[in-house]
Amino acid sequence: MQRVDTYKHKGLRQKLVEHLIEKGISQKRVLEAISAIPRHFFIESAFESHAYQDKPFPIDVGQTISQPYTVARQTELLDVQKGEKILEIGTGSGYQTAILAYLGAHVVSIEYHQTLYVKAKILLSQLGFQVTLLHGDGSVGVPEYAPYDKILVTAAMPFIAKELLLQLKVGGYLVAPVGEKHKQRMTRVHKISENKFEQEDFGVFVFVPLLGKNGWENSIP
Ligand code: SAH
């Protein structure tokens, strides 16, 4: 499908960026990424007009593209540096993946639902992003590419899985919404040494539930 990025879209993105600044997003690189990536490419064309509102939006198989504020906040908390290897759990639309790649990270992103995996793979390669996309249960991490500088979970986790902490480099961060199925707290874990971790809390967020072994349903993708 041919998608275009018009001046109107760019203008709407600029407004969104101003809104994110008002909501407290301050990392310049993150704001630049939001203003550069056409979010409307990641949403069905019929609903394109919603792309630059600060709202989550349904994609396929009952999943959602995260709200722009949430994407910006999680990215800011990750403190992405060029050349870092980042594992994203929950590719979904691929929008957050594109933001991380734009910031110069080497992104490994895993998606549970095959339809979403296929769609994101096609779209991100059309847009010229070089990322590693995988289909499977990311709740156990992706040991093949470990260790990671950062790990980003974009679905609600009932608990912080041991596997993920093991796959994180010393000095690295894991950012994840952790808690109940319908309400979580944005949590950042800093791996100080092989067995010492520090945890910070950044308030309430609502994500779709993580599936798989360390998620809410023990099913096979
Ligand atoms: N980052 C995405 C957010 C998508 S919502 C975006 O910007 O669009 C969360 C995604 O996590 C959904 O697509 C869901 O299918 C996926 N997911 C849920 N459990 C998962 C698991 N165990 N492994 C990988 N992906 C998972």
Side-chain angles (χ1 to χ4, degrees):
M1 192 197 334
Q2 193 63 32
R3 307 294 291 264
V4 284
D5 188 28
T6 63
Y7 281 109
K8 188 173 168 222
H9 292 124
K10 291 189 175 100
L12 289 171
R13 278 208 295 285
Q14 230 19 68
K15 284 217 170 99
L16 174 63
V17 164
E18 282 158 26
H19 166 80
L20 295 175
I21 294 171
E22 270 167 34
K23 283 188 85 173
I25 302 298
S26 63
Q27 232 179 58
K28 232 175 132 225
R29 306 189 311 276
V30 174
L31 295 166
E32 265 167 35
I34 302 272
S35 88
I37 308 286
R39 186 171 186 259
H40 65 283
F41 287 1
F42 297 83
I43 285 177
E44 291 294 330
S45 53
F47 303 110
E48 212 179 274
S49 58
H50 298 275
Y52 298 108
Q53 294 173 7
D54 190 18
K55 289 183 184 156
F57 204 77
I59 41 176
D60 236 328
V61 290
Q63 303 305 318
T64 55
I65 176 171
S66 298
Q67 181 176 347
Y69 172 73
T70 304
V71 171
R73 190 69 180 124
Q74 284 200 300
T75 310
E76 192 169 65
L77 290 174
L78 272 185
D79 192 25
V80 181
Q81 305 296 325
K82 274 204 178 78
E84 283 182 337
K85 199 200 303 175
I86 302 188
L87 172 65
E88 178 193 21
I89 301 169
T91 314
S93 67
Y95 176 65
Q96 170 81 73
T97 321
I99 297 276
L100 297 174
Y102 179 88
L103 292 172
H106 297 295
V107 192
V108 176
S109 183
I110 182 163
E111 170 56 49
Y112 193 88
H113 288 104
Q114 179 154 26
T115 45
L116 293 175
Y117 157 74
V118 171
K119 255 190 172 174
K121 200 170 168 79
I122 293 169
L123 179 59
L124 289 169
S125 83
Q126 277 174 351
L127 295 176
F129 288 107
Q130 309 240 326
V131 292
T132 304
L133 295 188
L134 305 165
H135 169 228
D137 176 12
S139 76
V140 293
V142 179
E144 297 91 301
Y145 293 92
Y148 303 97
D149 295 285
K150 312 276 167 68
I151 299 180
L152 174 62
V153 186
T154 70
M157 299 195 92
F159 54 88
I160 298 166
K162 270 201 312 284
E163 292 97 323
L164 301 188
L165 296 178
L166 269 173
Q167 292 171 31
L168 193 60
K169 284 187 194 169
V170 169
Y173 283 140
L174 170 130
V175 172
V178 186
E180 298 160 35
K181 197 166 183 178
H182 303 290
K183 194 173 111 188
Q184 307 88 36
R185 302 205 64 99
M186 189 58 73
T187 306
R188 180 165 74 180
V189 181
H190 189 192
K191 184 164 178 172
I192 308 286
S193 69
E194 276 313 328
N195 43 28
K196 187 162 179 247
F197 299 90
E198 260 171 28
Q199 200 166 314
E200 294 167 281
D201 181 317
F202 296 94
V204 172
F205 284 79
V206 179
F207 282 74
V208 294
L210 183 78
L211 305 169
K213 180 176 170 276
N214 291 319
W216 301 93
E217 280 162 52
N218 215 339
S219 45
I220 308 291

